[in-house]
Amino acid sequence: MTDTASTGLAHSFQLKSANVSLTALELYYFDQDDFENALREKINQAPGFFRDIPLIISLEKYEGIDSELDFFKIIGTCRRHQIHVIGVRGGNDDQRRLARGAALALLPGSGQREKPAEPEAEQSQEESPQTPEAATSDGPAPAKIISQPVRSGQQIHAPEGDIVVLGPVQAGAEILAAGNIHVYGPLRGRALAGIHGNEAARIFCQSLEAELVSVAGHYKISEDLQDNGWKSAVQIQLRDDLLVVTPLNKA
Amino acid sequence: MARIIVVTSGKGGVGKTTTSASISTGLAKRGHKTVVIDFDVGLRNLDLIMNCERRVVYDFVNVIQGEATLNQALIRDKRVESLYILPASQTREKEALTKEGVEKVINELSDTFDYIVCDSPAGIEHGALMALYYADEAIVVTNPEVSSVRDSDRILGILQSKSRRAEMGQDPVREHLLLTRYNPDRVEKGEMLSVADVEEILAIPLLGVIPESQVVLNSSNQGMPVILEEQSDAGQAYDDAVGRLLGEEREHRFMTAQKKGFFSRMFKGG
């Protein structure tokens, strides 16, 4: 019962969250010849390093005019040097539209998380309960403490630390934490711990009634949770790529 | 200052308008000057249940848009003194309810009334958000079934995050659970969630349990708030709920199944 996908059905794939480091090319202006010369020069310094790497184009320092920004030429030039452009970071709406036209992925810029490019993220912020989100001041990643029930349709997001919920997490609610998740009430919604890939993150709850639990991208849905620790106090952790549910009183 | 109470649920058809009619009538019967506002623009029903549909001249949207004064639009109830109805418009769009407009009307009503009951439309769209925005208290009407409970949970989350009290960082909206269409026999058979189940899931205080009853339907059709059917169990249950809303201690009734419920119904003769 510890199988991460033990529905009995054979799935052709499984979605997991991944955390990879990428090389970003910070573009100041674009001129086909200048670009190719500079690229060739860089590659000649370390030919093996650049072979078949994924690359993102960072537009945050771009000072040229938008019409010169020819992503097809950029992609083509890179391809000739065995570099694969996979997306752009930052940029204004017009630049991002051009990038999308060239089938590039759009990554948020460093200061761009709250902008309309991601309306869903903003929405979920609005619907978070207006709780005094008490933060413990010491330590690098303060825990987010929620003292009200997390209701259906609400999303609590802790991009850095742990989340502690003192009440229930209702069906249809979602909590996401980079660290651990503690729920001192029934966990009926979705709980995703270690969303940035921390495999040591755990989920603790007083009563496991969840729709989905996930640690570092390994998840189990309600159906797969019924036989082990259902409606009792448990912790959920990752062991050898498998989600393991253990009763809290035997921990 | 008036107490502003929204009657809401998320899900449709659970008994919001029936509850608005009975709660406001109950409050007025105890001498509190009460107005009940129909926020369901385009699908107005409250005037039917309050039996004043033939006396509607101006409506809520007319007042908001300055086409009529409040005194022209308010309809005085014929049965209960100190009860007034502000009907919804049947012909306008929900967007006609602007935040500023609703605030103006509510402020003006606050000066003269003790209680303002806002009958919310179903859903979580604009009309429902406007009905709950200015609320001090919320009566969340829920049927004992899973989808209604889920929708109530959703509306509770919205009360916590999108009401004026939440936006201003004031004390949160006081929440009350009103369970309607409750049938103890069906609970016993496992066909319905029990009071305890719903309380456990929603985790808010219970204002009352209204038993499923033919009387509710009959009185709605006759344009009579069921609370005025003083002999009926549903009418008494609403009266208890009004009492609790005013801070009285009342024991919960009509919740027990099988023998007890059966006998008590026999003695009352239906």
Side-chain angles (χ1 to χ4, degrees), chain A residues 179-180 193-194 197-204 215-216 236-238:
Chain A
N180 307 301
N198 178 7
E199 300 198 337
R202 297 187 190 188
I203 298 169
F204 306 87
V215 174
I236 296 152
Q237 59 190 307
L238 202 57

mmCIF file of all heavy atoms in Angstrom, chain A residues 179-180 193-194 197-204 215-216 236-238:
data_model
loop_
_atom_site.group_PDB
_atom_site.id
_atom_site.type_symbol
_atom_site.label_atom_id
_atom_site.label_comp_id
_atom_site.label_asym_id
_atom_site.label_seq_id
_atom_site.Cartn_x
_atom_site.Cartn_y
_atom_site.Cartn_z
ATOM 1 N N GLY A 179 8.270 23.596 2.921
ATOM 2 C CA GLY A 179 8.698 22.721 4.009
ATOM 3 C C GLY A 179 7.610 21.743 4.409
ATOM 4 O O GLY A 179 6.918 21.186 3.566
ATOM 5 N N ASN A 180 7.460 21.559 5.719
ATOM 6 C CA ASN A 180 6.488 20.604 6.262
ATOM 7 C C ASN A 180 5.101 21.224 6.362
ATOM 8 O O ASN A 180 4.958 22.438 6.390
ATOM 9 C CB ASN A 180 6.916 20.167 7.661
ATOM 10 C CG ASN A 180 8.342 19.661 7.681
ATOM 11 O OD1 ASN A 180 8.683 18.702 6.988
ATOM 12 N ND2 ASN A 180 9.192 20.320 8.457
ATOM 13 N N ALA A 193 3.557 19.145 0.359
ATOM 14 C CA ALA A 193 4.736 19.579 1.103
ATOM 15 C C ALA A 193 5.956 19.448 0.200
ATOM 16 O O ALA A 193 5.949 18.690 -0.778
ATOM 17 C CB ALA A 193 4.906 18.732 2.360
ATOM 18 N N GLY A 194 6.990 20.188 0.522
ATOM 19 C CA GLY A 194 8.230 20.102 -0.255
ATOM 20 C C GLY A 194 8.029 20.433 -1.719
ATOM 21 O O GLY A 194 8.569 19.762 -2.595
ATOM 22 N N GLY A 197 10.911 20.588 -4.057
ATOM 23 C CA GLY A 197 11.744 19.401 -4.199
ATOM 24 C C GLY A 197 12.404 18.913 -2.927
ATOM 25 O O GLY A 197 13.223 18.000 -2.979
ATOM 26 N N ASN A 198 12.009 19.487 -1.775
ATOM 27 C CA ASN A 198 12.585 19.015 -0.522
ATOM 28 C C ASN A 198 12.010 17.645 -0.155
ATOM 29 O O ASN A 198 10.880 17.523 0.303
ATOM 30 C CB ASN A 198 12.295 20.035 0.587
ATOM 31 C CG ASN A 198 12.826 19.570 1.929
ATOM 32 O OD1 ASN A 198 13.522 18.556 2.020
ATOM 33 N ND2 ASN A 198 12.506 20.321 2.968
ATOM 34 N N GLU A 199 12.808 16.591 -0.353
ATOM 35 C CA GLU A 199 12.303 15.232 -0.142
ATOM 36 C C GLU A 199 12.224 14.867 1.323
ATOM 37 O O GLU A 199 11.675 13.827 1.686
ATOM 38 C CB GLU A 199 13.183 14.236 -0.906
ATOM 39 C CG GLU A 199 13.181 14.522 -2.402
ATOM 40 C CD GLU A 199 13.658 13.347 -3.225
ATOM 41 O OE1 GLU A 199 14.382 12.511 -2.673
ATOM 42 O OE2 GLU A 199 13.285 13.288 -4.418
ATOM 43 N N ALA A 200 12.778 15.714 2.191
ATOM 44 C CA ALA A 200 12.718 15.435 3.623
ATOM 45 C C ALA A 200 11.463 16.034 4.263
ATOM 46 O O ALA A 200 11.216 15.845 5.446
ATOM 47 C CB ALA A 200 13.965 15.994 4.311
ATOM 48 N N ALA A 201 10.684 16.774 3.469
ATOM 49 C CA ALA A 201 9.479 17.401 4.017
ATOM 50 C C ALA A 201 8.462 16.333 4.396
ATOM 51 O O ALA A 201 8.428 15.243 3.817
ATOM 52 C CB ALA A 201 8.886 18.360 2.983
ATOM 53 N N ARG A 202 7.666 16.635 5.401
ATOM 54 C CA ARG A 202 6.635 15.689 5.836
ATOM 55 C C ARG A 202 5.293 16.391 6.022
ATOM 56 O O ARG A 202 5.239 17.601 6.174
ATOM 57 C CB ARG A 202 7.015 15.062 7.185
ATOM 58 C CG ARG A 202 8.274 14.233 7.133
ATOM 59 C CD ARG A 202 8.475 13.513 8.442
ATOM 60 N NE ARG A 202 9.798 12.903 8.492
ATOM 61 C CZ ARG A 202 10.200 12.090 9.445
ATOM 62 N NH1 ARG A 202 9.388 11.786 10.451
ATOM 63 N NH2 ARG A 202 11.408 11.574 9.417
ATOM 64 N N ILE A 203 4.263 15.578 6.052
ATOM 65 C CA ILE A 203 2.914 16.086 6.340
ATOM 66 C C ILE A 203 2.431 15.409 7.616
ATOM 67 O O ILE A 203 2.534 14.182 7.736
ATOM 68 C CB ILE A 203 1.948 15.778 5.178
ATOM 69 C CG1 ILE A 203 2.430 16.478 3.899
ATOM 70 C CG2 ILE A 203 0.528 16.199 5.523
ATOM 71 C CD1 ILE A 203 1.704 16.014 2.641
ATOM 72 N N PHE A 204 1.934 16.187 8.545
ATOM 73 C CA PHE A 204 1.385 15.649 9.788
ATOM 74 C C PHE A 204 -0.067 16.091 9.879
ATOM 75 O O PHE A 204 -0.377 17.247 9.598
ATOM 76 C CB PHE A 204 2.129 16.221 11.001
ATOM 77 C CG PHE A 204 3.628 16.034 10.941
ATOM 78 C CD1 PHE A 204 4.426 16.962 10.298
ATOM 79 C CD2 PHE A 204 4.220 14.938 11.543
ATOM 80 C CE1 PHE A 204 5.802 16.800 10.239
ATOM 81 C CE2 PHE A 204 5.600 14.773 11.492
ATOM 82 C CZ PHE A 204 6.392 15.697 10.836
ATOM 83 N N VAL A 215 4.528 14.827 -1.399
ATOM 84 C CA VAL A 215 5.808 15.284 -0.860
ATOM 85 C C VAL A 215 6.789 15.326 -2.016
ATOM 86 O O VAL A 215 7.006 14.301 -2.683
ATOM 87 C CB VAL A 215 6.326 14.344 0.258
ATOM 88 C CG1 VAL A 215 7.723 14.779 0.692
ATOM 89 C CG2 VAL A 215 5.389 14.349 1.450
ATOM 90 N N ALA A 216 7.328 16.490 -2.270
ATOM 91 C CA ALA A 216 8.325 16.686 -3.321
ATOM 92 C C ALA A 216 7.874 16.072 -4.651
ATOM 93 O O ALA A 216 8.645 15.422 -5.350
ATOM 94 C CB ALA A 216 9.673 16.124 -2.895
ATOM 95 N N ILE A 236 3.136 11.606 6.994
ATOM 96 C CA ILE A 236 3.392 11.120 5.636
ATOM 97 C C ILE A 236 4.768 11.608 5.224
ATOM 98 O O ILE A 236 5.072 12.793 5.327
ATOM 99 C CB ILE A 236 2.315 11.658 4.673
ATOM 100 C CG1 ILE A 236 0.949 11.098 5.074
ATOM 101 C CG2 ILE A 236 2.635 11.283 3.232
ATOM 102 C CD1 ILE A 236 -0.193 11.975 4.700
ATOM 103 N N GLN A 237 5.596 10.674 4.817
ATOM 104 C CA GLN A 237 6.953 11.052 4.421
ATOM 105 C C GLN A 237 7.384 10.232 3.214
ATOM 106 O O GLN A 237 6.749 9.246 2.842
ATOM 107 C CB GLN A 237 7.917 10.853 5.582
ATOM 108 C CG GLN A 237 7.939 9.412 6.084
ATOM 109 C CD GLN A 237 8.722 9.297 7.380
ATOM 110 O OE1 GLN A 237 9.857 9.726 7.441
ATOM 111 N NE2 GLN A 237 8.090 8.731 8.391
ATOM 112 N N LEU A 238 8.485 10.649 2.642
ATOM 113 C CA LEU A 238 9.015 10.002 1.451
ATOM 114 C C LEU A 238 10.162 9.094 1.859
ATOM 115 O O LEU A 238 11.103 9.519 2.518
ATOM 116 C CB LEU A 238 9.503 11.093 0.494
ATOM 117 C CG LEU A 238 9.626 10.752 -0.986
ATOM 118 C CD1 LEU A 238 8.302 10.259 -1.529
ATOM 119 C CD2 LEU A 238 10.064 12.002 -1.746
#
